[in-house]
Amino acid sequence: METKEVIFMNKGEGESSYLQNSGISPFLSEKSKRALERAVESILEENSVPLQVLSVADLGCATSLSTFSVMATAIDTTKKMQVVAPPEFQFLLNDLPGNDFDTLTRGLSRFLNGEKCKGVSCFAMVSPGSFYGRLFPRNTLHLFYSCYSVCFLSKVPRLRDEAGLALNKGKIYISKKSPGAVREAYLCQYQQDLSLFLKSRSEEMVANGGRVVLILPGRESADPTSEDVCYHWEILAEAIASIVDDADKLDSFDVPYYVPSIEEIKQVVDKEGSFELEMIEISATDGGGLENISVKELTNSIRCFTESMISHHFGMNIVDKLYDKVTHLLIRDLATQAVPTKLISFIVVLKRKMVNYK
């Protein structure tokens, strides 16, 4: 399954929309704010000639409660530095074509005409497309930011044996029951995608000193099947299996998603070679800002980013019934305290290596 036409957060402002269920976004935005501020400070300080334009791209921006936080932080940081000749700001908001760009552009218009942009020259535009490839002209961007987006893969890895039989029967992601070939296929796809992501950004970034700030779901364990990582996929697989009679239909559905370890990230960065790892920080939080929500809200927090995949493969007619089943399973697990509440995130800052033109 190619993801660029299938993956998107639920649109609009309804009960199961991403806008109404993106409470984790402000939480993550606040956690990573200082890293983003330092990246902006470094870019401005390291340029011997004052920048006329500071170009920033938010990749996988979605349409959430914190969509414009990157823009706000870049503007505020520049103002605090009291730059003699402040640069103009160019912001590029990117997501896959299915994103709710109508809601996004309405919010963008309010932001550009709001208090935050008074006294600065600020331009912004949306840029639909996959970040697993080029999005922007060469040598034009100073800063890339992405929060909980690079965990989505460009496609589902091939999970069939030589005879064409499904390797991941009854599951939709890596699980403790998945054979080793499934884990290897997911890791290989992640390595290919992250490498392409970095290569594309290096070509779009200014020659020296640009930064990439990534906030990623992560895992502390070397085991990719830890409950903190896999729980919501296990719940979805159980719910699907309970209402889908067609085993082949279930066995042909796997999600394009991967949660890396720190070592896996470092290996790709080192091998691809365009960036040096300036900082990697682990944020481990019990609850992750979701500890006080109801079971229905917890269901909607899962639904808002999985429904597009589910409906594409199984059809819209099962969607409401499926997520009702998810609610019942969550109630069951909450009663036995089987629902993981620990949220592991990695805050990663990459610096573009110096380019030698000799």
Side-chain angles (χ1 to χ4, degrees):
M1 178 176 66
E2 295 286 343
T3 62
K4 59 185 177 182
E5 301 298 334
V6 175
I7 302 297
F8 52 86
M9 307 298 104
N10 278 4
K11 301 178 182 182
E13 300 180 10
E15 182 183 71
S16 63
S17 68
Y18 185 67
L19 188 64
Q20 295 298 328
N21 293 280
S22 57
I24 193 68
S25 298
F27 175 82
L28 294 169
S29 177
E30 188 60 32
K31 282 282 185 181
S32 61
K33 185 175 181 179
R34 185 56 194 140
L36 183 58
E37 289 173 338
R38 286 197 295 263
V40 173
E41 291 166 357
S42 297
I43 290 167
L44 294 175
E45 289 170 350
E46 291 171 6
N47 276 274
S48 56
V49 178
L51 290 180
Q52 293 184 316
V53 178
L54 177 64
S55 295
V56 180
D58 185 348
L59 306 179
C61 64
T63 306
S64 73
L65 299 173
S66 62
T67 293
F68 306 112
S69 63
V70 177
M71 299 168 65
T73 298
I75 293 170
D76 286 343
T77 303
T78 304
K79 287 179 177 178
K80 288 176 185 176
M81 293 183 70
Q82 297 181 333
V83 180
V84 176
E88 295 187 322
F89 295 92
Q90 175 178 257
F91 296 108
L92 302 160
L93 303 181
N94 157 263
D95 213 319
L96 292 173
N99 184 50
D100 189 358
F101 285 105
D102 288 341
T103 302
L104 177 65
T105 51
R106 287 195 296 271
L108 179 58
S109 178
R110 288 192 294 270
F111 180 87
L112 294 175
N113 290 295
E115 193 67 29
K116 188 67 66 177
C117 292
K118 285 187 177 178
V120 298
S121 182
C122 186
F123 304 89
M125 62 193 73
V126 298
S127 178
S130 171
F131 48 54
Y132 293 121
R134 291 282 304 279
L135 289 165
F136 311 111
R138 291 180 183 275
N139 304 323
T140 56
L141 274 292
H142 299 94
L143 175 64
F144 289 98
Y145 174 92
S146 186
C147 181
Y148 268 53
S149 295
V150 183
C151 48
F152 287 96
L153 303 175
S154 66
K155 62 182 179 180
V156 176
R158 178 172 169 76
L159 300 176
R160 298 274 171 174
D161 63 16
E162 292 182 357
L165 300 176
L167 292 171
N168 205 26
K169 287 182 175 294
K171 299 297 180 180
I172 64 174
Y173 184 58
I174 309 168
S175 77
K176 295 192 181 298
K177 294 182 179 180
S178 300
V182 171
R183 303 182 190 193
E184 292 169 9
Y186 266 101
L187 176 58
C188 183
Q189 187 63 53
Y190 176 75
Q191 291 170 331
Q192 291 175 10
D193 282 346
L194 182 57
S195 181
L196 180 57
F197 175 90
L198 296 176
K199 181 178 185 296
S200 301
R201 304 295 77 80
S202 71
E203 293 176 1
E204 296 163 346
M205 187 170 280
V206 293
N208 300 312
R211 299 301 197 280
V212 177
V213 178
L214 300 176
I215 298 86
L216 304 164
R219 64 177 204 270
E220 295 176 302
S221 170
D223 180 6
T225 68
S226 60
E227 286 189 353
D228 291 343
V229 171
C230 299
Y231 176 76
H232 56 281
W233 301 122
E234 289 287 293
I235 282 287
L236 270 175
E238 185 177 351
I240 293 169
S242 72
I243 63 174
V244 174
D245 295 328
D246 188 341
D248 290 338
K249 193 75 171 174
L250 172 59
D251 291 341
S252 63
F253 178 73
D254 295 278
V255 294
Y257 188 88
Y258 189 76
V259 176
S261 67
I262 285 179
E263 285 306 312
E264 289 167 352
I265 294 171
K266 287 181 177 179
Q267 287 169 5
V268 176
V269 172
D270 289 344
K271 185 175 181 180
E272 194 281 326
S274 299
F275 295 90
E276 61 184 75
L277 184 61
E278 191 168 67
M279 186 198 87
I280 187 163
E281 179 180 297
I282 302 174
S283 172
T285 309
D286 284 332
L290 299 176
E291 62 271 27
N292 296 317
I293 68 175
S294 68
V295 177
K296 186 61 176 176
E297 289 171 326
L298 184 54
T299 298
N300 283 333
S301 73
I302 296 172
R303 180 172 182 169
C304 72
F305 76 94
T306 61
E307 184 174 343
S308 65
M309 293 181 279
I310 296 290
S311 60
H312 175 79
H313 188 81
F314 295 102
M316 283 298 299
N317 59 316
I318 77 159
V319 167
D320 288 337
K321 186 178 180 181
L322 172 67
Y323 290 104
D324 284 344
K325 182 65 176 179
V326 168
T327 299
H328 293 311
L329 294 175
L330 287 170
I331 291 171
R332 177 200 68 187
D333 288 356
L334 285 166
T336 59
Q337 297 184 327
V339 178
T341 60
K342 191 175 184 181
L343 177 70
I344 304 294
S345 300
F346 297 152
I347 301 170
V348 180
V349 180
L350 305 173
K351 180 180 179 180
R352 181 73 165 92
K353 288 183 177 178
M354 296 290 286
V355 177
N356 188 342
Y357 289 106
K358 291 183 180 180

